[in-house]
Amino acid sequence: MIGGGRGAFIGGVHRIAAIMDGQAELVAGAFSSDPERSRASGADLHLEAGRVYGSYAEMAEQEAAQPADRRLDFVVIVTPNHQHFGPAKAFLEAGFHVICDKPVTFDLAQARKLKAIVARTGKLFVLTHNYTGNAMVKQAREFVRAGRLGTLRKVVVEYPQGWLADAIEQTGQKQAAWRTDPKRSGAAGCMGDIGTHAENLARYITGLEIAELCADLTTFVKGRALDDDGNVLLRFTGGAKGVLHASQICVGDENNLNIRVYGTKAALEWYQEHPNELIVKYPDQPRQVWRRGNGYDGAAAQRATRIPAGHPEGYLEAFGNIYREAFRGIRAVLDGQKLPKDLDVPTIDDGVEGMAFIEAVVRSSARGARWVTLKR
Amino acid sequence: MIGGGRGAFIGGVHRIAAIMDGQAELVAGAFSSDPERSRASGADLHLEAGRVYGSYAEMAEQEAAQPADRRLDFVVIVTPNHQHFGPAKAFLEAGFHVICDKPVTFDLAQARKLKAIVARTGKLFVLTHNYTGNAMVKQAREFVRAGRLGTLRKVVVEYPQGWLADAIEQTGQKQAAWRTDPKRSGAAGCMGDIGTHAENLARYITGLEIAELCADLTTFVKGRALDDDGNVLLRFTGGAKGVLHASQICVGDENNLNIRVYGTKAALEWYQEHPNELIVKYPDQPRQVWRRGNGYDGAAAQRATRIPAGHPEGYLEAFGNIYREAFRGIRAVLDGQKLPKDLDVPTIDDGVEGMAFIEAVVRSSARGARWVTLKR
Amino acid sequence: MIGGGRGAFIGGVHRIAAIMDGQAELVAGAFSSDPERSRASGADLHLEAGRVYGSYAEMAEQEAAQPADRRLDFVVIVTPNHQHFGPAKAFLEAGFHVICDKPVTFDLAQARKLKAIVARTGKLFVLTHNYTGNAMVKQAREFVRAGRLGTLRKVVVEYPQGWLADAIEQTGQKQAAWRTDPKRSGAAGCMGDIGTHAENLARYITGLEIAELCADLTTFVKGRALDDDGNVLLRFTGGAKGVLHASQICVGDENNLNIRVYGTKAALEWYQEHPNELIVKYPDQPRQVWRRGNGYDGAAAQRATRIPAGHPEGYLEAFGNIYREAFRGIRAVLDGQKLPKDLDVPTIDDGVEGMAFIEAVVRSSARGARWVTLKR
Amino acid sequence: MIGGGRGAFIGGVHRIAAIMDGQAELVAGAFSSDPERSRASGADLHLEAGRVYGSYAEMAEQEAAQPADRRLDFVVIVTPNHQHFGPAKAFLEAGFHVICDKPVTFDLAQARKLKAIVARTGKLFVLTHNYTGNAMVKQAREFVRAGRLGTLRKVVVEYPQGWLADAIEQTGQKQAAWRTDPKRSGAAGCMGDIGTHAENLARYITGLEIAELCADLTTFVKGRALDDDGNVLLRFTGGAKGVLHASQICVGDENNLNIRVYGTKAALEWYQEHPNELIVKYPDQPRQVWRRGNGYDGAAAQRATRIPAGHPEGYLEAFGNIYREAFRGIRAVLDGQKLPKDLDVPTIDDGVEGMAFIEAVVRSSARGARWVTLKR
């Protein structure tokens, strides 16, 4: 694991998600760019001292030299955005599969470069757009793919949070500090951190491609350099329209990612805070509530399920599903097979698309919220 | 009553709303521009045949000549949009108070003219933006006014419906026919019919003025002349931002008007389909659910309440609240007093604002969804 | 109208419910047993002074003598329970149809007598178990009748309120005073006031007959003479089981009547505080949410609907549906026809059943909560 | 681990719950009484073949002989009820801490014996009443303990499931087979399996003791030997009343455990299927929704939380909380300290209480649903 030392949030999430099915074990890490801190974190996690490193470069070099029976199967990158590309490149080139937090890189150019590296090395690169790991999100995608919604017309995707409504980055809150810092987060704040989740979720479910967008980004909190709120109009290839808005200043909202998709025949609603349900609406039939863990759910949703209906799964299980599917891929490669064709993980392509989205919303907003096309 | 004959929807709603408190009685009407149909409708409603008219002009003339003890106190206009201005002018000038359905006129120019007529005649003109009649909407306004939300930052207001997802106007559905006809509805379809409700609700609660907007209107149903969907970015005077979207092609949605208002200190949520509740969110306190009919509710919400908590009130009661408050005004005038200063009814000013909104969204969209300022 | 003077609650509800469809007008009343108060109330309601009476007996006598064109079509009784029987008898015998609030009488013996009087006079007697007026309650009944639930196994019906959690009857609260007074309310407090609504709702939807019950009634508030809480186990004829609990000490609950019915094939849920929805659950299919005002709803639900889907109807509209259906019956009789066979109003039989329920729960509880059979 | 082999449900849950925080590792097991099956299951789980046993007795003996650095810290028992006592006794006496699924034993006599063994051996015995591991359940308990609800008056606790609505035990469904078999499940079916969870949840939150109860148990499915539904009236020491009902024939219900607690000052509601929220109701204030992961939550809820607000935790995390707290105790003992005084795990006392509850409901029901007191 790269990053995820003391005081980090997402590192702990990745660790639970990775081990929950008993398929993986944490054995090495460079948990911080501060070697002292890295060592302390490694000790917290009961790692062998010799496999705790002061830098990812050191780790890549030394772990590549491990004998086969001690060799890492994959590396997880959970650093701030500006430190994704370096370790990803290093480990891919050192022959390791990589699981990386989102957004994939600091900027679009890096993402494109990384795409080339992934292609060249032939290693598996998995981007943890964890919300697509939810069983009912997979069910939603299956509905769209099966044509059950008819032709898609409108998508509304929201991601309001409230935790950055005040300038907590100035009070030493580590999570807030790097996310609001353009040197570490990239060109966007809110839009990079969670806007990309919304973009990814919409694309995962609908398969629609954003043709052009008009983004009005705002920085509400004084002294902050990056956007903490954004409202975006979307036009998809093929004629569907959309609204995407995300915010970190919506006080009282916690992590309210949600999506509504309207087609000519039916519509879907899914709420991340109530992830075990998928609402389906029809023009001329009662609404349906599809629930995780039932025999009537489709194959994709059933595979992404650990426990029976009514026993709520949550954020960690969805995150774990990304890992579980990544492991399926890694195991296939270890077994000398090709990657399963139906492997259902977010890839470097999702990463590039996300960075193109960030680049476009920032560009649109900088021009006064004019329509721009995405550069892919 | 002008309009509201056989086959109409909103006429029946107005009749229930007007009489439910036992304060008004229907005694005369021109229910259709087809005299035969008007007469039949009058008979359905058990009216004296002599007070059922074939045209509003005839009615205005003859009713103005009624003796004092038979004289109408007010007239209700429930015709399609293109037939609001004529009767409103006629009855105001004939000395009657007028209660009129929304949007106020066919276009902005008419609205401005009507404003002048209202001013000149000194009669009460009430526009039935009925959703503002809900008790918990009034509570929401009271919160904002009391500063409980702090400085407002973001408003999200939605009005998705699904009933026009197919071209039912071509099958003889009367409600659909006039709403999709530019000659009767005006320059906008969905945005005029329900977008204005969303605009009005947001303004009523927040008191914010839209400075500029960017509207992407769409006509999804083939052969339809007016928009049946619209996504609008809002910038309010003072720096708040907003999203307004309305649709008539959101299959499975019924009448899902809702609003979220975020301030620096707290946030509000209200859903028209669950009107008896108002959700209040705080950055650092548990969420609250304020419910109609409780002693803790503010004065405005309590006045807009007929029955105890837990006994749900709905659309008709909210509509009736507009009437009840209008009657308070009319009664004051009848009693020779001035209009109460705190009279809480939508006025011709709301009508002008709504028409300015329609004009702006149509103009913006016609330019490819560019930012425009409102012409007031 | 008998009762319903100043300070009353349910009188006002009946007036709105009766007039909302423009089919009835209030023309006479004995609003209080205090003639002064009755007169004042009549004046509030703009009644002709000559038709406001100091007692129901006086009113029955004089109104019976009115000429045909001024004759009352029906009388509404909204007094406390101990004053139902007297006026009901008087007006039925004077030839008037009667609409009466619930529970039907002071005790079971009176209810049986009244049943005989109704039978003898041949007049329509309608008991306002208003919750059965809800469209989605009618839909629920239709599902059961159509066998859609299979064989019924279990019924859970709840009616928690919190307004009597303190001894507000000692502070002059009029509604509380009579409901907690055995001389006016009868043998039961909570169980008579709202337990009977729960019993009636369960019977209306399921058609099941309570064979025996075991009731544990409690008076939680010191100094109160009647039960303010009760938990009841039910055994229905045919083998279904049930739980009924009602309370007036459930702080924070408003008027939370709700019911769940489980059959071998499907189950239903309905919540009075969200009356426009009916939840249907299946063992092997997604849940459904049936909503009022849709084309897919059954005939009974559609008839009990005034406005389109998504425009919430509430307590008053459901109450108005009882009146509307009663008027259909009265109109038929006035037109010299028989009562419609499908007339869907609560009758004196429902009243007797409710009183038998009250008698049984009180008897069971008095014996230490032992099983008792109902005396019908 | 004892039990939990191929085809089991709860074994997998325990494994995830135990390892999710990286504090435990599965190293040995007797996964089935069929040695072949046990071996196969051990292989599935990548265990060392030498530590997979054909019986718990063999395992207890051999594992007790392991050297200190390979010694088990604790044993988990996830067999059907009739096989709890044997291994619990064996491992406690062999010096291991034990974590055991519920209900604790086959009958009350065994539970009492086990209590004595626990006392004698001084080992930690933790019963996995997992629902009490939920953060908001802990918050609920904290409210009650802090007197925030005032004096408790009424408790309603429900546990409806629908999965046994048909005789699936006759189709080879393993979970159903043992739960409906009196030889393996004990004297109760539904009441033992889930009624005890309801009883335990109510006791955990309220601290109230059931003084007497009246239980009407039913077997709805033909050919089944044990109850599949039960309705129970409760009287608590001190005067509070309650209703507890549980069922496995409530079609369409999944795992709908929920509880409402009413005091003189406030009331609580918690729903297992939406575990991240706790609803608090007041007589004279807006309702509150307390949500997991917020700074305003109490210390107990905060300790039982892994990820931030709005990132839903579920069943597995709650289960994991039981383990995490058990590990805190085990670690203290390993470190030579006493058990923490505030150790918050279900104990053998909870197990005895649960068995006393089962014994009482069966006894009451056998007598025709008469009131009985609990034998403790």
Side-chain angles (χ1 to χ4, degrees):
Chain A
M1 173 167 279
I2 314 305
R6 289 180 174 179
F9 152 58
I10 204 71
V13 166
H14 278 262
R15 284 192 292 268
I16 296 176
I19 70 171
M20 72 189 314
D21 294 316
Q23 297 192 62
E25 199 183 343
L26 177 65
V27 292
F31 299 104
S32 170
S33 47
D34 169 354
E36 208 47 54
R37 196 185 193 97
S38 182
R39 239 154 261 146
S41 300
D44 290 352
L45 296 164
H46 311 290
L47 291 202
E48 207 176 295
R51 296 184 83 171
V52 180
Y53 303 92
S55 76
Y56 72 81
E58 187 192 350
M59 175 169 158
E61 190 187 325
Q62 298 196 20
E63 287 294 328
Q66 292 278 0
D69 66 332
R70 284 172 60 88
R71 191 177 166 80
L72 299 176
D73 291 318
F74 64 97
V75 170
V76 179
I77 301 172
V78 294
T79 45
N81 307 345
H82 68 306
Q83 293 173 334
H84 287 181
F85 179 77
K89 179 173 187 296
F91 284 97
L92 286 167
E93 292 181 346
F96 296 101
H97 302 296
V98 168
I99 297 178
C100 181
D101 212 80
K102 41 52 56 190
V104 69
T105 50
F106 186 71
D107 59 23
L108 177 57
Q110 276 189 352
R112 287 173 178 157
K113 271 188 223 165
L114 190 57
K115 181 172 174 174
I117 295 166
V118 170
R120 177 160 44 80
T121 60
K123 294 292 150 192
L124 189 64
F125 180 88
V126 174
L127 190 68
T128 52
H129 271 303
N130 52 290
Y131 298 110
T132 62
N134 277 286
M136 301 321 283
V137 167
K138 297 190 184 298
Q139 183 68 40
R141 181 165 75 153
E142 203 166 296
F143 279 144
V144 172
R145 289 186 170 188
R148 195 157 178 154
L149 271 66
T151 303
L152 301 189
R153 284 175 165 175
K154 184 166 189 169
V155 178
V156 179
V157 59
E158 309 181 329
Y159 202 153
Q161 295 182 333
W163 68 295
L164 292 177
D166 291 305
I168 59 169
E169 64 268 31
Q170 295 171 13
T171 67
Q173 215 276 14
K174 199 180 155 182
Q175 298 305 319
W178 76 257
R179 280 181 174 80
T180 57
D181 176 2
K183 290 186 189 147
R184 287 179 278 176
S185 188
C190 170
M191 277 292 143
D193 190 29
I194 58 174
T196 48
H197 270 310
E199 176 274 329
N200 183 261
L201 181 68
R203 192 156 43 79
Y204 182 80
I205 291 176
T206 66
L208 292 175
E209 183 188 66
I210 300 172
E212 45 181 352
L213 58 76
C214 172
D216 193 22
L217 309 190
T218 308
T219 304
F220 279 107
V221 174
K222 278 191 189 167
R224 191 168 282 169
L226 296 173
D227 59 287
D228 48 26
D229 181 86
N231 302 325
V232 188
L233 301 182
L234 305 174
R235 291 175 182 159
F236 296 99
T237 305
K241 296 291 182 79
V243 177
L244 180 156
H245 57 90
S247 186
Q248 290 166 329
I249 58 86
C250 286
V251 292
D253 276 341
E254 296 177 350
N255 197 43
N256 190 13
L257 173 64
N258 66 78
I259 187 165
R260 288 165 280 172
V261 180
Y262 297 95
T264 47
K265 293 187 192 167
L268 297 176
E269 286 186 27
W270 182 77
Y271 295 86
Q272 188 274 145
E273 294 188 356
H274 293 286
N276 295 279
E277 294 189 349
L278 175 67
I279 299 165
V280 189
K281 301 181 185 177
Y282 299 95
D284 50 7
Q285 290 175 51
R287 290 184 186 175
Q288 294 177 339
V289 183
W290 291 62
R291 291 166 62 100
R292 192 196 49 75
N294 282 288
Y296 55 72
D297 291 324
Q302 299 222 19
R303 270 198 308 273
T305 290
R306 282 174 185 76
I307 46 175
H311 298 69
E313 295 192 358
Y315 176 88
L316 292 170
E317 288 76 26
F319 218 117
N321 288 338
I322 303 290
Y323 271 91
R324 200 153 69 165
E325 188 71 357
F327 294 164
R328 188 163 72 100
I330 291 170
R331 216 179 277 277
V333 174
L334 289 176
D335 292 351
Q337 299 160 9
K338 288 194 177 172
L339 283 181
K341 281 196 179 164
D342 64 348
L343 194 71
D344 178 18
V345 290
T347 66
I348 183 64
D349 290 331
D350 293 286
V352 173
E353 189 72 19
M355 296 312 297
F357 171 78
I358 292 175
E359 189 278 338
V361 295
V362 170
R363 180 160 39 101
S364 168
S365 194
R367 295 181 185 180
R370 278 172 48 195
W371 289 90
V372 301
T373 53
L374 265 71
K375 298 179 179 171
R376 287 190 178 88
Chain B
M1 173 167 281
I2 314 305
R6 288 180 174 180
F9 152 58
I10 205 69
V13 166
H14 277 262
R15 285 190 292 268
I16 296 176
I19 70 172
M20 72 189 313
D21 294 316
Q23 297 192 62
E25 201 182 343
L26 177 64
V27 293
F31 298 104
S32 170
S33 48
D34 169 354
E36 207 46 53
R37 195 182 194 96
S38 182
R39 239 155 262 144
S41 299
D44 289 351
L45 297 164
H46 310 291
L47 291 203
E48 208 176 294
R51 297 184 84 171
V52 180
Y53 302 93
S55 76
Y56 72 80
E58 187 192 354
M59 175 169 158
E61 190 187 324
Q62 297 197 21
E63 286 296 327
Q66 292 277 0
D69 65 334
R70 285 172 60 87
R71 191 176 167 80
L72 299 176
D73 291 317
F74 64 98
V75 170
V76 179
I77 300 172
V78 292
T79 45
N81 307 345
H82 69 306
Q83 292 175 334
H84 287 180
F85 180 77
K89 179 174 188 294
F91 283 97
L92 285 168
E93 291 182 347
F96 296 101
H97 302 296
V98 168
I99 296 178
C100 181
D101 211 80
K102 42 52 54 189
V104 69
T105 50
F106 185 72
D107 60 23
L108 177 58
Q110 276 189 350
R112 287 172 177 156
K113 271 190 223 162
L114 189 57
K115 180 171 175 174
I117 295 166
V118 170
R120 177 161 44 79
T121 59
K123 294 294 150 191
L124 189 64
F125 180 89
V126 174
L127 189 68
T128 50
H129 270 303
N130 51 293
Y131 298 110
T132 64
N134 277 285
M136 299 322 282
V137 167
K138 297 190 185 297
Q139 184 66 40
R141 180 164 78 152
E142 203 165 297
F143 279 143
V144 173
R145 289 186 168 186
R148 195 158 178 153
L149 270 66
T151 304
L152 301 189
R153 285 175 164 174
K154 184 165 188 170
V155 178
V156 179
V157 60
E158 308 181 330
Y159 202 153
Q161 294 182 332
W163 69 294
L164 291 177
D166 291 305
I168 59 170
E169 63 268 32
Q170 294 172 14
T171 66
Q173 214 275 15
K174 198 179 158 183
Q175 298 305 318
W178 77 257
R179 279 180 175 81
T180 57
D181 176 1
K183 290 187 190 147
R184 287 179 278 177
S185 187
C190 169
M191 278 291 144
D193 190 28
I194 59 175
T196 48
H197 269 310
E199 175 275 329
N200 183 262
L201 181 68
R203 193 156 43 80
Y204 182 80
I205 291 176
T206 67
L208 293 174
E209 183 188 65
I210 299 173
E212 44 181 352
L213 59 77
C214 171
D216 192 23
L217 309 189
T218 308
T219 304
F220 279 106
V221 175
K222 278 191 188 167
R224 191 168 280 167
L226 295 173
D227 59 286
D228 47 28
D229 181 84
N231 302 324
V232 188
L233 300 183
L234 304 174
R235 291 176 182 160
F236 297 99
T237 304
K241 296 290 181 79
V243 177
L244 180 156
H245 56 92
S247 185
Q248 290 165 329
I249 57 86
C250 286
V251 292
D253 276 339
E254 296 175 352
N255 196 44
N256 189 12
L257 173 64
N258 65 80
I259 186 166
R260 286 165 282 171
V261 180
Y262 297 96
T264 48
K265 293 186 191 167
L268 297 175
E269 285 186 27
W270 182 78
Y271 296 86
Q272 189 273 145
E273 294 188 357
H274 294 285
N276 295 279
E277 293 189 350
L278 176 67
I279 299 164
V280 189
K281 299 179 185 179
Y282 299 95
D284 50 7
Q285 289 175 51
R287 290 184 186 174
Q288 294 177 338
V289 183
W290 291 62
R291 291 167 59 100
R292 191 196 51 74
N294 283 287
Y296 56 71
D297 292 324
Q302 299 222 18
R303 271 198 308 273
T305 291
R306 283 174 183 78
I307 47 175
H311 299 68
E313 295 192 357
Y315 177 89
L316 291 170
E317 288 75 26
F319 218 116
N321 288 339
I322 303 289
Y323 270 91
R324 198 153 70 164
E325 189 70 357
F327 294 164
R328 188 163 72 99
I330 291 169
R331 216 177 277 277
V333 174
L334 290 175
D335 292 352
Q337 299 160 9
K338 287 195 178 172
L339 283 180
K341 282 196 179 165
D342 64 349
L343 195 70
D344 177 18
V345 290
T347 66
I348 183 64
D349 290 331
D350 293 286
V352 172
E353 190 73 19
M355 297 313 296
F357 171 79
I358 292 175
E359 189 278 337
V361 295
V362 170
R363 179 160 40 102
S364 168
S365 194
R367 294 182 185 180
R370 278 172 50 195
W371 289 89
V372 300
T373 54
L374 266 70
K375 297 179 179 170
R376 286 188 177 88
Chain C
M1 173 167 281
I2 314 305
R6 289 179 174 181
F9 152 59
I10 205 69
V13 166
H14 277 262
R15 285 192 290 268
I16 295 176
I19 69 172
M20 72 188 314
D21 293 317
Q23 296 192 64
E25 201 182 344
L26 176 64
V27 293
F31 298 103
S32 170
S33 48
D34 169 353
E36 206 47 54
R37 195 184 193 96
S38 182
R39 238 154 261 144
S41 300
D44 290 351
L45 296 164
H46 310 291
L47 291 203
E48 208 177 294
R51 297 184 83 171
V52 180
Y53 302 92
S55 76
Y56 73 81
E58 187 192 352
M59 176 169 158
E61 189 187 327
Q62 298 197 21
E63 287 295 329
Q66 292 277 0
D69 65 334
R70 284 172 60 86
R71 191 176 166 82
L72 299 176
D73 291 317
F74 64 98
V75 170
V76 179
I77 300 172
V78 293
T79 46
N81 308 345
H82 69 306
Q83 293 175 335
H84 287 179
F85 180 78
K89 179 174 188 296
F91 283 98
L92 286 167
E93 292 181 346
F96 296 101
H97 303 296
V98 168
I99 297 178
C100 181
D101 212 79
K102 43 51 55 189
V104 69
T105 50
F106 186 72
D107 60 23
L108 177 57
Q110 275 190 352
R112 288 173 176 156
K113 271 189 223 165
L114 189 57
K115 181 172 174 173
I117 294 166
V118 171
R120 176 160 44 80
T121 61
K123 293 294 151 190
L124 189 64
F125 180 89
V126 174
L127 190 67
T128 51
H129 270 302
N130 51 291
Y131 297 109
T132 62
N134 277 285
M136 299 321 283
V137 168
K138 297 190 184 298
Q139 184 67 40
R141 181 164 77 153
E142 203 165 297
F143 278 144
V144 173
R145 289 187 169 187
R148 195 157 178 153
L149 270 67
T151 304
L152 301 189
R153 285 175 164 175
K154 184 164 188 170
V155 178
V156 179
V157 60
E158 308 182 331
Y159 202 153
Q161 295 181 332
W163 70 294
L164 292 177
D166 291 305
I168 58 170
E169 64 268 32
Q170 295 172 14
T171 67
Q173 215 275 14
K174 199 180 156 181
Q175 298 305 318
W178 78 257
R179 279 182 175 80
T180 56
D181 176 1
K183 291 186 188 147
R184 287 179 278 176
S185 187
C190 169
M191 278 291 144
D193 190 28
I194 59 175
T196 47
H197 270 309
E199 175 274 329
N200 183 262
L201 180 67
R203 194 156 43 80
Y204 182 80
I205 290 176
T206 66
L208 292 174
E209 184 189 64
I210 299 172
E212 44 181 352
L213 59 77
C214 171
D216 192 22
L217 309 189
T218 308
T219 303
F220 279 106
V221 175
K222 279 191 187 167
R224 191 168 282 167
L226 296 173
D227 58 288
D228 47 27
D229 181 84
N231 302 324
V232 188
L233 301 182
L234 305 174
R235 291 176 182 159
F236 296 99
T237 304
K241 296 290 181 80
V243 177
L244 180 156
H245 57 92
S247 185
Q248 290 165 329
I249 58 86
C250 286
V251 292
D253 277 339
E254 296 176 350
N255 197 43
N256 190 14
L257 173 63
N258 66 79
I259 186 165
R260 286 165 281 170
V261 181
Y262 298 95
T264 48
K265 293 186 191 167
L268 296 175
E269 286 187 26
W270 182 79
Y271 295 87
Q272 188 273 147
E273 294 188 357
H274 294 286
N276 295 278
E277 293 188 350
L278 176 67
I279 298 165
V280 189
K281 299 180 185 177
Y282 299 95
D284 50 7
Q285 289 176 51
R287 290 184 185 175
Q288 294 177 338
V289 184
W290 291 62
R291 291 167 60 99
R292 190 196 51 75
N294 282 287
Y296 56 70
D297 292 324
Q302 298 223 20
R303 271 199 308 273
T305 291
R306 283 174 184 77
I307 47 176
H311 298 69
E313 296 192 358
Y315 177 89
L316 292 171
E317 288 76 26
F319 218 117
N321 288 339
I322 303 290
Y323 270 92
R324 199 154 67 165
E325 189 70 356
F327 293 164
R328 188 162 72 99
I330 291 170
R331 215 179 278 278
V333 174
L334 289 175
D335 292 351
Q337 299 160 9
K338 288 196 177 170
L339 283 181
K341 281 197 179 165
D342 64 349
L343 195 70
D344 177 18
V345 290
T347 66
I348 183 64
D349 290 332
D350 292 287
V352 172
E353 189 72 19
M355 297 312 296
F357 171 78
I358 293 174
E359 189 277 339
V361 295
V362 170
R363 180 160 39 102
S364 168
S365 195
R367 295 180 185 182
R370 279 173 48 195
W371 289 89
V372 301
T373 54
L374 266 71
K375 298 179 180 173
R376 287 189 176 89
Chain D
M1 172 167 280
I2 314 305
R6 288 180 175 179
F9 152 59
I10 204 71
V13 165
H14 277 262
R15 284 191 292 268
I16 296 176
I19 70 172
M20 72 189 313
D21 294 316
Q23 297 191 64
E25 200 183 343
L26 177 65
V27 292
F31 299 103
S32 170
S33 47
D34 169 354
E36 207 47 54
R37 196 184 193 97
S38 182
R39 240 156 260 146
S41 300
D44 290 352
L45 296 164
H46 310 290
L47 290 202
E48 208 176 294
R51 297 184 83 172
V52 180
Y53 303 93
S55 76
Y56 73 80
E58 186 192 352
M59 174 169 159
E61 190 187 325
Q62 297 197 21
E63 287 294 328
Q66 293 277 359
D69 65 332
R70 285 173 59 89
R71 192 176 166 81
L72 299 175
D73 291 318
F74 64 98
V75 170
V76 179
I77 300 172
V78 293
T79 44
N81 307 345
H82 69 305
Q83 293 174 333
H84 287 181
F85 179 77
K89 179 173 186 297
F91 284 96
L92 286 167
E93 291 181 347
F96 296 101
H97 303 296
V98 168
I99 297 178
C100 181
D101 212 80
K102 42 52 55 189
V104 70
T105 50
F106 186 72
D107 59 23
L108 177 57
Q110 276 190 351
R112 286 173 178 156
K113 271 189 224 163
L114 189 57
K115 181 172 174 175
I117 295 166
V118 170
R120 177 159 45 80
T121 60
K123 294 293 150 191
L124 190 64
F125 181 88
V126 174
L127 190 67
T128 51
H129 270 303
N130 52 291
Y131 298 110
T132 63
N134 277 285
M136 300 321 283
V137 168
K138 297 190 184 297
Q139 184 67 41
R141 180 165 76 152
E142 203 165 297
F143 279 144
V144 172
R145 288 187 169 186
R148 194 157 178 153
L149 270 66
T151 303
L152 301 189
R153 284 174 165 175
K154 184 166 190 169
V155 178
V156 179
V157 60
E158 308 181 330
Y159 203 153
Q161 295 182 332
W163 68 295
L164 291 177
D166 291 305
I168 58 169
E169 64 268 31
Q170 294 171 13
T171 67
Q173 215 275 15
K174 198 179 156 181
Q175 299 305 318
W178 77 257
R179 280 181 174 81
T180 57
D181 175 2
K183 290 186 191 148
R184 288 180 278 176
S185 187
C190 170
M191 278 291 145
D193 191 29
I194 59 174
T196 48
H197 270 310
E199 176 274 331
N200 183 261
L201 181 67
R203 193 156 43 80
Y204 183 80
I205 291 176
T206 66
L208 292 175
E209 185 188 65
I210 300 172
E212 45 181 351
L213 59 76
C214 172
D216 193 21
L217 309 189
T218 308
T219 303
F220 278 107
V221 174
K222 277 190 190 169
R224 191 167 282 168
L226 295 173
D227 59 287
D228 47 27
D229 181 85
N231 303 323
V232 188
L233 300 182
L234 304 173
R235 291 175 183 160
F236 297 99
T237 305
K241 296 289 181 81
V243 177
L244 180 157
H245 56 91
S247 186
Q248 290 166 328
I249 57 87
C250 286
V251 292
D253 277 340
E254 297 176 352
N255 196 44
N256 190 13
L257 172 65
N258 66 78
I259 186 166
R260 287 165 281 171
V261 180
Y262 298 95
T264 48
K265 293 185 190 167
L268 297 175
E269 286 186 26
W270 182 77
Y271 296 86
Q272 189 272 145
E273 294 188 357
H274 293 285
N276 296 280
E277 294 189 348
L278 175 67
I279 299 165
V280 189
K281 300 181 185 177
Y282 299 95
D284 51 6
Q285 291 175 50
R287 289 182 187 177
Q288 294 177 339
V289 183
W290 291 63
R291 291 167 60 99
R292 191 196 50 75
N294 283 287
Y296 55 71
D297 291 324
Q302 299 223 17
R303 270 198 309 273
T305 290
R306 282 175 185 76
I307 46 174
H311 299 68
E313 295 192 358
Y315 176 88
L316 292 170
E317 288 75 27
F319 218 116
N321 288 338
I322 303 289
Y323 270 91
R324 199 153 70 165
E325 189 69 357
F327 294 164
R328 189 163 71 101
I330 291 170
R331 216 177 277 278
V333 174
L334 290 176
D335 292 351
Q337 298 161 9
K338 288 195 176 171
L339 284 181
K341 282 198 178 164
D342 63 349
L343 194 70
D344 178 18
V345 290
T347 66
I348 183 64
D349 290 331
D350 293 286
V352 173
E353 189 71 20
M355 297 313 296
F357 171 78
I358 292 174
E359 189 278 338
V361 295
V362 170
R363 180 160 40 102
S364 169
S365 194
R367 295 183 184 178
R370 279 172 48 195
W371 289 89
V372 300
T373 54
L374 265 71
K375 298 179 179 171
R376 287 190 178 89

